[in-house]
Structures are given as C-alpha cells and as structure tokens.
Amino acid sequence: MAKMTVAVRKRGEHGTRSANANDALIGQRLRTRRMELKISQAELGDALGVSFQQIQKYEKGVNRVGAARLAQIAEALKTSIEYFIGDLSSGRPHESKLGEFMATRDGIAITEAMMNIPQEKVRRVVIDLARRLREVCEEAE
C-alpha cells in the first residue's frame, strides 16, 4: 500500500490563517473609500467578479483580502494599495474622530448637504444650530 503524504500549510504568526486586526483596518478603509465614491457593495462586487456578500466580509474584516484582490480593489476605487495598507501599525482605521465620522453615511450626507448651501452665512447658521442641539442633548442626559 502506498504511503500518503499530506501537505501542511504554514500558519501565520499566531498559528492561524484567519483574519486579524489588520484585515479589519483594511476593511474599514475599503468601506470608507467605497462610500466616498458612492459605490454600492453590489457595484464593487460586480466590478471585481464577486458577490456583495464577499465585499461585506472584506469590509467587516471577516475575510482576508489577498494581494491580487487588493490591487483590483484599489484600481476599482481609483486609489493606490498604499491607501489600504499604509500605517497599519497605528491600529486605527482613521487618523481622527472626524475621519471615523466621515466614513459613515451620516458623515457623507451632512458634508454633501453643507457643500450644497451656497451662502457661507447660511452654513454658519446650520453649524450654530448643530452646536446648540449638542448642548441641549447634553443637558437632557
């Protein structure tokens, strides 16, 4: 009887091949860029030849993004690979709370709405209103 040999794949630094914190950061950056360009998960999936569910998994950091796929994503989102992998050591998806907010639908919506108000004076009134609302919410707590 012939002896069978089994190839063993090398494991990562922590003995696992599953997604890690860096994969989650890359996923968050992917989501941010996709939302900036107003591209749906389905549209990006179509461009890459994968399902929108796969894009969701990348964005949540559940699945790792391979190097070749990351290059495809960067091209589809009109950016560089560096955008996704730059400074992963910081452990933060964004450089600031502002960056985190801007990566949300609300952040994009409020920014677009403000940009569409042509008069600076009116924009200032909206800003003052938002600040006053924050104060009222804090007082109510």
Side-chain angles (χ1 to χ4, degrees):
M1 193 175 271
K3 188 175 183 179
M4 287 177 90
T5 59
V6 177
V8 178
R9 292 185 182 206
K10 291 187 178 184
R11 300 291 180 179
E13 177 182 358
H14 302 287
T16 180
R17 292 183 321 144
S18 62
N20 60 32
N22 285 340
D23 297 304
L25 291 172
I26 290 168
Q28 290 171 349
R29 292 172 183 179
L30 189 165
R31 177 177 167 76
T32 299
R33 182 64 181 157
R34 179 183 60 75
M35 291 181 72
E36 285 174 355
L37 297 176
K38 296 184 181 137
I39 297 172
S40 71
Q41 290 175 331
E43 289 169 327
L44 181 57
D46 288 345
L48 301 175
V50 300
S51 67
F52 80 90
Q53 291 97 333
Q54 183 61 51
I55 301 301
Q56 282 180 331
K57 289 177 182 180
Y58 289 151
E59 289 183 357
K60 291 180 180 180
V62 173
N63 285 10
R64 289 185 155 189
V65 181
R69 177 72 72 207
L70 191 59
Q72 286 180 312
I73 291 169
E75 184 177 336
L77 297 179
K78 300 176 181 116
T79 191
S80 67
I81 292 175
E82 177 66 21
Y83 173 85
F84 299 105
I85 62 173
D87 196 22
L88 289 174
S89 63
S90 73
R92 296 186 321 207
H94 303 285
E95 292 302 311
S96 66
K97 287 191 177 250
L98 175 64
E100 289 179 36
F101 177 70
M102 291 306 299
T104 67
R105 282 191 173 94
D106 288 344
I108 291 169
I110 194 73
T111 301
E112 288 176 340
M114 291 295 287
M115 290 171 49
N116 288 324
I117 299 172
Q119 297 88 5
E120 183 178 346
K121 192 173 184 178
V122 176
R123 285 194 303 266
R124 296 280 170 212
V125 170
V126 173
I127 292 167
D128 290 340
L129 174 63
R131 287 182 177 144
R132 181 64 188 129
L133 287 170
R134 181 193 65 215
E135 291 170 6
V136 169
C137 289
E138 289 173 352
E139 291 170 4
E141 290 179 351

